[in-house]
């Protein structure tokens, strides 16, 4: 795995290296998922199934509410 160092600024913003942004075709405004594995963070451009399920539940509740 390719390891790169990023720095967290005072407001909690991370800047991803341009090589990673290009590799994953990330654009400003794109949403990423962060998973805390208790000592390791995983940052992924892919939405997890649980995120998609939560969206469907929210939409259902709006229809019922």
């Amino acid at each position: 795995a390719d390891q790169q160092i990023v720095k967290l600024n005072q407001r909690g913003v991370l800047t991803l290296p341009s090589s990673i942004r290009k590799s994953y075709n990330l654009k400003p405004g794109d949403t990423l998922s962060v998973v805390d594995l208790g000592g390791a963070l995983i940052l992924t451009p892919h939405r997890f199934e649980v995120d998609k399920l939560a969206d469907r539940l929210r939409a259902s509740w709006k229809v019922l509410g």
Side-chain angles (χ1 to χ4, degrees):
D2 184 25
Q3 179 182 5
Q4 297 192 31
I5 304 299
V6 296
K7 189 175 185 178
L8 189 68
N9 79 11
Q10 290 178 339
R11 295 184 53 208
V13 176
L14 286 176
T15 300
L16 295 176
S18 63
S19 61
I20 290 175
R21 294 192 312 267
K22 287 176 187 173
S23 177
Y24 288 92
N25 195 30
L26 296 172
K27 305 291 183 219
D30 284 352
T31 301
L32 300 148
S33 293
V34 178
V35 178
D36 183 354
L37 297 179
L41 297 174
I42 296 180
L43 180 66
T44 176
H46 305 290
R47 296 190 66 207
F48 290 105
E49 289 303 314
V50 77
D51 296 326
K52 294 174 187 175
L53 177 59
D55 288 345
R56 286 197 301 260
L57 286 172
R58 268 192 290 279
S60 295
W61 289 337
K62 285 181 184 179
V63 169
L64 295 174

